[in-house]
Every structure is written in C-alpha cells, then in structure tokens.
C-alpha cells in the first residue's frame, strides 16, 4: 500500500512515516517545510516531495507518480493563540487548502483518508474523560477548522464515498524511543518540551497558567499520549478503512490525565534536574481539565498504547532533546 503523508516533515507526521516504513508500507512525504524539517524525512528514509497541499498540480503529479492508495493529513497551522489573533491564516490554510487536497483525493479515486483532528474540537468539557459523542463546541478558530474539516469529511463520504477516520489527539508527546526523531517546533508552545528545555538550562523558567483549577493540585489537567502510540493508531485506522470500515472519529489519549504540576515533578524525577516553575494567571479559553475516553478505539481497533506512562513519555522526549539541544538544527 502506498501512503501519502501530508505534513510528514513535522513532528507527528515524521514519527508516523517512520513506523509505517518499519511495518513495510510504501510511504511518500509531502511537506512545504514551512514548519517541518527536511532532515527528519531523510532520517525516516522515504521519498520526499517539497510542495504545498494547496497546489493541485503538484498533488496530482505526486499521487500519480507514487500510485498513492491512501492519504494521512497532518498538515496544518496548529496554535490556538495564533488562530485567535489571525483566523484568516487558519481558515485559508487548514480549510481552503484542505479542500484542494480533497479535490486531488477525489480526482484520483483515493478512498481512504486519515485526518489529524484535535481535542480542541470539544471546547470546555461537560464530562471528563471526554467520549467521542461529547458535544463539539470549540472555543477558538483553530478548533473550528478541525471541526469543520471533520464535517466536510462526513459530507464527502455521503456524496462521494470517501472513507475517513478523524483522530482527535489530546496532547501529543514523547519521541522515537531510538532517539532518531523528536519534537522541534518554533516557537515551542507545548508544556513538556518547555519543561525539558528548562531542565536542560535552555530556559530560565516555565509559567504555570492557573493554580486554582478544580483538579487534584489546582493546576490544569492534560492527557499526554506518546507519538509512537499515535502512529500505531494511524496504522490501525488505515487497516480498518482498507477492510471496509465506515467513516468515524476516535479520541487518542491515555485517559488518566496528568496535571501540569505532576508533569513538572515527573520531569524533575526523570531528568534529575530542578525546574523553575512559576505560577501565573489563568489564560483565557484554557479548559481546566482535558482527558480522553479512548474506549472506542480500544474496543473497535484494538489500540493499546505501548508507552502510557508519563515518565517514559518524558524520558524519550528528554533523551532526544539532550542529544539535539538545537532540535534538527544540531
Ligand atoms: N502536537 C499536538 O499535540 C497536536 C494535538 C492535536 C492535533 N494536532 C494536529 O496534528 C497535526 C500534526 O501536528 P504536529 O505537532 O506534528 O505539527 P507540525 O507543525 O510539527 O507538523 C505539521 C507539518 O505540516 C506542514 N505543513 C503546514 N502547512 C502546509 C502546507 N500548506 N503544505 C504542506 N505542508 C504543510 C508543516 O511544514 C509541518 O511539517 C496538525 O494537524 C495538528 O493540528 C497536533
């Protein structure tokens, strides 16, 4: 099977391409490199096409050249805060360009599509852990683009028979256990890489936004899921669609949730370094508690995370960052 990985030079896409390749799939990575890393694609060691998924002609050429059977779509702008400041960028790219990608998918009779959706589609949760049938009342333009794209995919199934799985990741974290690939975002906004950089002395402090939430210790609760477990969920979703599965959506997390304070303590335990974590006011729009119910994908696809433990997630991320203090830049 030949899989086109849109956004495969980025964090989750490169890890997924790597696991796909190890399991014997033919993979081609397609990425604009606006946020991704050419070197990550070289480490994975699969064909790479430099292009924008808003460019129909290069998409068509690539799909034909590599006889693509299925698409995994990781490409997106993905910062909640930026999306509030400049929603046009998010709608034009995540939706506008996403529709062009879907045009190429339809024109080339591709029937299987896996989409990187997000916990951000739920908004403020009414119950935690959040099940897939929880109301999706997102609170920011980024979440709107993910929700809108899920709805577009449902309509495209009804009208055109395009089968898709939308995977709603909670907090993607960790790194390749062999230390070849890792997380390198600029600017980095995710809490675990920020904690690790602080442990490594590359940052003076980490801000903890809110210490008066309704959680075990007053700090926000988040659900970290290892990037290799995410990759495995993509492959299970692909096989499910190939076996005739219906269009659906699954949550991906570890359900138990980790508070930000617990993440600080775990990072100190794993790294043996003291972290300067500074209390700060709550950020508007941040939900206090986010954790996924993952019973659906476990029951239906047999997904069973290999690395659910927060210490292991942090250890893999730390090992890569320690060896690559400047990310893929060195
Ligand atoms: N990281 C998380 O915790 C998280 C959580 C929920 C959902 N997601 C979603 O998962 C996906 C991957 O996230 P990530 O952390 O790996 O992001 P990332 O920024 O590391 O990777 C995204 C990749 O897409 C590429 N890209 C962006 N626009 C493009 C375009 N127009 N044409 C071609 N390539 C383009 C970028 O260059 C980058 O390599 C995103 O869709 C994101 O919204 C991520």
């Amino acid at each position: 099977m030949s899989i086109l990985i849109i956004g495969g030079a980025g964090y989750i896409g490169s890890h997924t391409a790597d696991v796909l390749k190890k399991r014997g799939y033919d993979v081609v990575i397609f990425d604009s490199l606006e946020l991704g890393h050419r070197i990550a694609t070289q480490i994975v060691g699969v064909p790479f096409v430099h292009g924008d998924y808003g460019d129909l002609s290069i998409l068509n050429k690539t799909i034909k050249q590599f006889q693509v059977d299925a698409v995994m779509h990781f490409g997106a702008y993905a910062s909640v805060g930026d999306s509030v400041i400049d929603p046009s960028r998010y709608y034009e790219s995540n939706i506008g360009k996403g529709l062009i990608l879907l045009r190429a998918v339809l024109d080339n009779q591709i029937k299987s599509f896996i989409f990187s959706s997000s916990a951000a589609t739920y908004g403020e949760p009414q119950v935690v852990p959040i099940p897939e049938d929880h109301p999706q009342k997102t609170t920011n333009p980024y979440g709107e683009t993910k929700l809108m794209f899920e709805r577009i995919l449902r309509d495209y199934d009804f009208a055109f028979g395009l089968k898709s799985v939308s995977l709603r990741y909670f907090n993607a974290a960790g790194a390749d256990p062999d230390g070849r690939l890792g997380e390198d975002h600029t600017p980095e906004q995710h809490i675990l890489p920020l904690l690790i950089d602080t442990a490594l002395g590359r940052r003076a402090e980490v801000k903890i936004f809110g210490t008066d939430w309704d959680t075990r210790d007053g700090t926000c609760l988040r659900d970290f899921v290892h990037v290799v477990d995410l990759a495995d969920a993509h492959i299970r979703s692909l096989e499910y669609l190939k076996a005739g599965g219906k269009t659906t959506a699954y949550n991906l997390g570890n359900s138990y949730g980790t508070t930000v304070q617990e993440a600080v303590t775990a990072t100190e335990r794993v790294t043996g370094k003291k972290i300067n974590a500074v209390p700060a006011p709550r950020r508007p729009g941040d939900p206090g508690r986010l954790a996924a119910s993952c019973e659906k994908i476990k029951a239906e696809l047999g997904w069973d995370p290999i690395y659910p433990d927060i210490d292991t997630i942090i250890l893999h991320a730390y090992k890569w960052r320690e060896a690559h203090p400047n990310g893929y830049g060195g």
Side-chain angles (χ1 to χ4, degrees), residues 6-7 9-13 30-37 51-54 73-78 93 97 116-119 142 146 169-172 183 185 190:
I6 306 289
Y11 170 48
I12 307 169
F30 184 102
D31 201 296
S32 63
L33 298 181
E34 184 182 341
L35 305 166
H37 307 276
D52 191 305
Y53 66 80
H73 179 30
F74 297 89
Y77 294 136
S93 194
K97 291 181 178 180
S116 299
S117 189
S118 169
Y142 165 68
K146 293 290 174 183
Y169 319 152
F170 280 60
N171 287 63
E183 182 167 10
H185 290 122
H190 297 106

Side-chain angles (χ1 to χ4, degrees), residues 11-13 15-17 19-20 23 72 74 114-118 167-174 183 223-238 250-254 292 294 297 301 303-307 313:
Y11 170 48
I12 307 169
H15 283 81
T16 304
V19 177
L20 277 163
R23 297 203 198 160
M72 293 189 182
F74 297 89
I114 319 277
F115 173 56
S116 299
S117 189
S118 169
L167 295 173
R168 297 178 191 148
Y169 319 152
F170 280 60
N171 287 63
E183 182 167 10
D223 190 348
F224 299 98
V225 52
H226 197 292
V227 66
V228 168
D229 288 323
L230 289 183
D232 179 66
H234 284 77
I235 297 172
R236 286 173 191 272
S237 300
L238 182 71
Y250 294 113
N251 285 340
L252 292 172
N254 277 303
C294 299
I297 190 166
L301 305 192
W303 184 65
D304 187 15
I306 308 168
Y307 305 112
I313 291 173

